[in-house]
């Protein structure tokens, strides 16, 4: 390639010459790289291939023009689909499953599959889940109560629970995600965030997924402080629903390209489970089984987390390599979220006194 890197030293090579070199090369190229080379040729509209693009591709980097070709869907792969590969180890089979679960494009799936590395591991969701389980077990043992823990006064005295009477303690707007009403809420949240959050983090990285999760958590507590001003908040449902709604919306938007098995059935089951959890939260809020024996946490965190997932999550999951900073719509979403954040801060400072809201005394 280096001897014929360009036509007349222009830095470009004609597609016909490039194709001939690819078809008659003597080197043992990675089959996945060969697929990418052919895809790069087919995506080119100017009849030329840049030598720098070739170098970046062979060194496991995708140039901006190649990313655009992938985004525009103007290329095809010559080999069979990724599912047909045999003789894979357990980890690579799991990576292949994740690729088909998360990515809607075969070239993206193939690229992710061959470039995936075990380091860094998807630690964010795992750490959050472990901490939630540990905190729940500590309070369960201490209170000798494993369901409807909010009806235990000592539970509500925790410095982690968001309570409107303690809203000046800013960390509570985040830390409430480690507390749960009972075993059923913890089990539901832990199962969903592990099943959906871990594959998402493997593909999109810890920064994007932690941002999405924490944005859902913060939006949950702030929304409750505005719409349900007397209610406390516990549970990580805001972050969980942000992950779930972002993934489900991504599947719907790329329905034809998704190759995850039984996607329609799984979509229906996920929606039924999420709707049931919201319905349960609404029931606990307005018709608690033990009236006046304890506060009823709000359900608005579930809904606000879903809104964050659909709005912010779709942009985060649009492409696992595309830079968020280069997307104009991303900055629109960020500006909207910051505007909501500022409004919620002023609301929490002034609205309670102006509206004369009678807040239950904090524990």
């Amino acid at each position: 390639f280096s001897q014929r890197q360009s036509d007349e030293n222009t830095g470009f090579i004609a597609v016909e010459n490039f194709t001939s070199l690819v078809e008659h090369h003597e080197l043992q190229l990675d089959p996945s790289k060969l697929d990418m080379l052919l895809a790069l040729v087919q995506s080119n509209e100017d009849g030329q291939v840049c030598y720098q693009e070739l170098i970046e591709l062979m060194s496991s980097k995708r140039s901006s023009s190649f990313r655009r070709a992938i985004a525009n869907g103007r290329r095809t792969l010559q080999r069979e689909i990724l599912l047909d590969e045999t003789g894979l180890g357990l980890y690579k089979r799991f990576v292949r499953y994740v690729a088909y679960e998360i990515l809607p494009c075969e070239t993206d799936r193939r690229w992710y599959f061959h470039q995936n590395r075990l380091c860094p591991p998807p630690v964010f969701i795992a750490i959050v889940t472990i901490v939630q389980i540990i905190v729940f077990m500590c309070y369960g043992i201490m209170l000798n109560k494993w369901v409807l823990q909010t009806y235990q006064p000592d539970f509500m005295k925790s410095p982690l629970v968001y309570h409107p009477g303690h809203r000046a303690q800013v960390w509570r707007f985040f830390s409430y995600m480690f507390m749960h009403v009972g075993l059923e809420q913890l089990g539901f949240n832990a199962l969903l965030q592990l099943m959906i959050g871990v594959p998402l983090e493997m593909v999109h990285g810890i920064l994007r997924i932690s941002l999405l999760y924490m944005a859902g958590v913060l939006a949950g507590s702030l929304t409750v402080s505005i719409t349900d001003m007397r209610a406390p908040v516990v549970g990580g449902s805001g972050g969980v629903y942000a992950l779930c709604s972002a993934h489900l919306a991504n599947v719907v938007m790329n329905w034809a390209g998704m190759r995850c098995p039984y996607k329609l059935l799984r979509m229906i089951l996920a929606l039924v489970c999420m709707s049931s959890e919201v319905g349960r939260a609404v029931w606990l809020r307005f018709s608690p089984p033990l009236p006046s024996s304890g506060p009823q946490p709000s359900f608005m965190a579930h809904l606000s987390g879903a809104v964050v997932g659909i709005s912010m999550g779709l942009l985060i999951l649009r492409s696992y390599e595309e830079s968020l900073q280069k997307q104009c719509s991303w900055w629109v979403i960020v500006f909207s979220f910051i505007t909501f954040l500022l409004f919620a801060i002023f609301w929490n400072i002034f609205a309670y006194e102006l509206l004369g809201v009678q807040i239950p005394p904090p524990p």
Side-chain angles (χ1 to χ4, degrees):
F1 284 108
S2 61
Q3 295 177 351
R4 300 181 62 182
Q5 62 178 276
S6 64
D7 295 338
E8 301 179 356
N9 297 321
T10 61
F12 293 86
I13 183 171
V15 166
E16 294 81 5
N17 293 339
F18 182 81
T19 304
S20 176
L21 286 173
V22 170
E23 292 176 348
H24 299 92
H25 69 86
E26 298 178 355
L27 300 176
Q28 293 297 321
L29 292 178
D30 186 331
S32 65
K33 295 278 183 68
L34 182 59
D35 284 345
M36 299 299 170
L37 290 174
L38 295 174
L40 180 60
V41 171
Q42 295 170 4
S43 68
N44 192 287
E45 296 180 344
D46 300 325
Q48 293 179 325
V49 177
C50 177
Y51 178 69
Q52 185 59 37
E53 285 184 345
L54 173 63
I55 297 300
E56 291 179 346
L57 182 62
M58 297 307 295
S59 61
S60 299
K61 295 181 180 178
R62 291 207 283 187
S63 64
S64 58
S65 60
F66 189 67
R67 290 194 189 97
R68 287 196 299 271
I70 285 178
N72 294 334
R74 296 171 182 159
R75 73 282 170 271
T76 58
L77 292 175
Q78 303 301 311
R79 301 170 61 210
E80 288 83 7
I81 60 176
L82 193 62
L83 285 175
D84 294 336
E85 297 200 16
T86 59
L88 300 176
L90 180 62
Y91 174 72
K92 292 302 287 185
R93 289 202 299 270
F94 179 64
V95 171
R96 179 173 61 184
Y97 162 79
V98 170
Y100 274 90
E101 184 74 17
I102 303 300
L103 296 171
C105 168
E106 184 65 24
T107 302
D108 275 352
R109 289 191 285 257
R110 192 175 291 278
W111 185 276
Y112 168 74
F113 176 80
H114 289 285
Q115 300 301 323
N116 176 263
R117 300 291 183 269
L118 189 58
C119 185
V123 296
F124 174 76
I125 295 297
I127 291 175
V128 168
T129 305
I130 291 173
V131 173
Q132 289 173 340
I133 293 174
I134 292 175
V135 170
F136 179 81
M137 291 184 65
C138 290
Y139 278 96
I141 295 173
M142 181 178 65
L143 305 175
N144 193 26
K145 192 175 183 63
W146 300 93
V147 294
L148 297 177
Q149 292 186 354
T150 51
Y151 293 103
Q152 171 59 253
D154 290 336
F155 180 85
M156 296 304 297
K157 293 180 181 179
S158 169
L160 301 178
V161 173
Y162 168 79
H163 189 282
H166 290 308
R167 64 187 185 281
Q169 299 174 356
V170 179
W171 71 84
R172 292 177 180 260
F173 286 89
F174 294 94
S175 62
Y176 77 93
M177 71 179 188
F178 297 115
M179 309 291 287
H180 287 82
V181 171
L183 186 61
E184 68 285 356
Q185 186 191 30
L186 172 66
F188 178 83
N189 286 347
L191 181 63
L192 275 183
Q193 65 191 25
L194 287 175
M195 289 181 60
I196 296 179
V198 170
L200 287 176
E201 189 177 345
M202 288 181 63
V203 173
H204 297 283
I206 185 173
L207 291 179
R208 292 191 181 200
I209 298 307
S210 60
L211 172 63
L212 178 59
Y213 188 91
M214 297 308 295
V217 169
L218 180 58
S221 55
L222 291 177
T223 302
V224 170
S225 71
I226 295 173
T227 61
D228 201 356
M229 301 169 66
R230 293 171 50 86
V233 189
V234 293
S237 298
V240 172
Y241 274 62
L243 294 178
C244 293
S245 61
H247 177 58
L248 293 179
N250 187 52
V251 171
V252 172
M253 294 291 292
N254 300 281
W255 187 263
M258 300 302 294
R259 292 294 180 266
C260 45
Y262 308 108
K263 56 184 177 182
L264 180 59
L265 176 61
R266 295 166 64 187
M267 174 80 68
I268 294 174
L269 289 176
L271 291 175
V272 169
C273 291
M274 293 172 65
S275 301
S276 300
E277 174 64 14
V278 173
R280 173 185 170 277
V282 172
W283 179 74
L284 286 176
R285 176 66 181 91
F286 295 108
S287 301
L290 299 174
S292 72
S293 64
Q296 291 79 52
S298 177
F299 59 90
M300 291 301 297
H302 300 70
L303 303 181
S304 58
V307 172
V308 168
I310 293 174
S311 57
M312 184 182 294
L314 274 179
L315 292 177
I316 289 178
L317 307 186
R318 175 181 294 175
S319 172
Y320 79 100
E321 281 196 330
E322 186 176 359
S323 176
L324 293 175
Q325 292 88 337
K326 297 180 180 179
Q327 302 181 43
C328 179
S329 51
W330 166 252
W331 292 108
V332 173
I333 294 296
V334 171
F335 176 77
S336 301
F337 190 84
I338 293 176
T339 302
F340 167 72
L341 177 61
L342 294 175
F343 171 78
I345 292 174
F346 279 99
W347 181 275
N348 278 273
I349 294 175
F350 301 109
Y352 281 79
E353 293 184 4
L354 292 176
L355 298 177
V357 178
Q358 297 297 319
I359 303 176

